Amino acid sequence: MVHTVIENVEDRVIRRKIIKTDDSKYTSGYRYSLHHGYTDGRGTILRYDNENRTIGRHEQHTADGVEEIDFHGMMKLRDRFMNEIEANND
C-alpha cells in the first residue's frame, strides 16, 4: 500500500495581549497573557500570564505544569517569550 502525504499541518497560535493598567489587582501595572499553543486541543506549548487569584503572582505555563516566575518588566518578559518561541521552532 502506498501513502502520499499531501498536507500535514500543525495548527499553532501565538497570541500576545498586554494591557497597561492602574487596576490594583495588577501590581506590575500590566495585565497580560503571552500564549503559544495548539488550536487542535493539544494544549499549551508556552504561556506567561498574571495569575488570576493571587495579586502580584506571575506564572509560566508549559505542558509540564505551572510555576511562579519573577517579573522583571513587561518588555523583558515579552522578549523572553519571543526568544523561547523562536528557539522552540528551530
Side-chain angles (χ1 to χ4, degrees):
M1 185 180 320
V2 176
H3 296 281
T4 304
V5 175
I6 303 299
E7 188 172 41
N8 184 9
V9 176
E10 271 188 34
D11 289 327
R12 291 189 272 178
V13 63
I14 297 171
R15 183 182 71 229
R16 296 186 315 268
K17 180 179 180 181
I18 302 170
I19 300 168
K20 186 142 180 66
T21 181
D22 61 1
D23 186 330
S24 62
K25 290 184 351 186
Y26 303 98
T27 57
S28 66
Y30 294 94
R31 178 179 177 199
Y32 67 91
S33 176
L34 309 172
H35 179 80
H36 181 212
Y38 294 101
T39 61
D40 64 2
R42 287 183 284 167
T44 297
I45 299 170
L46 176 66
R47 183 172 77 240
Y48 290 101
D49 61 18
N50 311 81
E51 199 274 331
N52 294 329
R53 292 176 295 270
T54 306
I55 292 174
R57 181 179 164 103
H58 302 269
E59 295 180 332
Q60 177 191 55
H61 301 251
T62 66
D64 295 328
V66 179
E67 71 177 58
E68 184 174 5
I69 62 164
D70 292 328
F71 183 82
H72 299 288
M74 191 66 248
M75 295 293 80
K76 284 185 179 183
L77 184 58
R78 181 198 175 276
D79 291 347
R80 174 181 170 180
F81 173 73
M82 297 303 291
N83 289 334
E84 289 176 351
I85 288 173
E86 187 175 314
N88 190 29
N89 286 330
D90 289 343

Short mmCIF file of all heavy atoms in Angstrom, two decimals, residues 5 7 21 34 37 52 76-77 85 90:
data_model
loop_
_atom_site.label_atom_id
_atom_site.label_comp_id
_atom_site.label_asym_id
_atom_site.label_seq_id
_atom_site.Cartn_x
_atom_site.Cartn_y
_atom_site.Cartn_z
N VAL A 5 1.60 11.78 1.45
CA VAL A 5 1.16 12.87 2.30
C VAL A 5 0.99 14.11 1.43
O VAL A 5 1.93 14.55 0.77
CB VAL A 5 2.16 13.15 3.43
CG1 VAL A 5 1.74 14.38 4.24
CG2 VAL A 5 2.30 11.93 4.32
N GLU A 7 -0.71 16.98 2.75
CA GLU A 7 -0.57 18.10 3.68
C GLU A 7 -0.53 17.55 5.09
O GLU A 7 -1.26 16.64 5.43
CB GLU A 7 -1.73 19.07 3.51
CG GLU A 7 -1.59 20.36 4.27
CD GLU A 7 -2.67 21.36 3.91
OE1 GLU A 7 -3.84 20.96 3.76
OE2 GLU A 7 -2.33 22.53 3.80
N THR A 21 -2.31 49.04 32.91
CA THR A 21 -3.47 49.30 33.75
C THR A 21 -3.05 49.86 35.11
O THR A 21 -1.94 49.60 35.58
CB THR A 21 -4.29 48.00 33.98
OG1 THR A 21 -5.43 48.30 34.78
CG2 THR A 21 -3.49 46.91 34.65
N LEU A 34 0.70 36.00 27.36
CA LEU A 34 1.55 35.70 26.22
C LEU A 34 1.41 34.20 25.98
O LEU A 34 1.85 33.39 26.81
CB LEU A 34 3.00 36.08 26.52
CG LEU A 34 3.22 37.49 27.06
CD1 LEU A 34 4.65 37.68 27.50
CD2 LEU A 34 2.82 38.52 26.03
N GLY A 37 0.38 28.08 21.63
CA GLY A 37 -0.26 26.79 21.82
C GLY A 37 -0.90 26.27 20.56
O GLY A 37 -0.82 26.90 19.49
N ASN A 52 -4.66 34.75 38.16
CA ASN A 52 -5.93 35.45 38.37
C ASN A 52 -6.37 35.57 39.82
O ASN A 52 -7.12 36.46 40.16
CB ASN A 52 -7.04 34.77 37.57
CG ASN A 52 -6.82 34.90 36.09
OD1 ASN A 52 -6.24 35.87 35.62
ND2 ASN A 52 -7.25 33.90 35.34
N LYS A 76 10.85 42.93 29.02
CA LYS A 76 11.80 41.84 29.21
C LYS A 76 11.10 40.49 29.11
O LYS A 76 11.62 39.55 28.49
CB LYS A 76 12.52 41.96 30.55
CG LYS A 76 13.58 43.02 30.57
CD LYS A 76 14.33 43.02 31.90
CE LYS A 76 15.40 44.09 31.87
NZ LYS A 76 16.19 44.07 33.09
N LEU A 77 9.92 40.39 29.71
CA LEU A 77 9.16 39.13 29.65
C LEU A 77 8.68 38.86 28.23
O LEU A 77 8.74 37.73 27.75
CB LEU A 77 7.99 39.15 30.63
CG LEU A 77 7.20 37.85 30.72
CD1 LEU A 77 8.09 36.67 31.11
CD2 LEU A 77 6.05 38.00 31.71
N ILE A 85 9.95 31.07 21.98
CA ILE A 85 9.17 30.55 20.86
C ILE A 85 10.08 30.30 19.65
O ILE A 85 10.00 29.26 19.00
CB ILE A 85 8.04 31.53 20.47
CG1 ILE A 85 6.96 31.52 21.52
CG2 ILE A 85 7.44 31.16 19.12
CD1 ILE A 85 5.91 32.58 21.30
N ASP A 90 12.92 26.04 16.07
CA ASP A 90 14.11 25.66 15.29
C ASP A 90 14.20 24.17 15.12
O ASP A 90 13.68 23.40 15.81
CB ASP A 90 15.38 26.19 15.96
CG ASP A 90 15.50 27.71 15.84
OD1 ASP A 90 14.81 28.28 14.98
OD2 ASP A 90 16.28 28.28 16.61
#
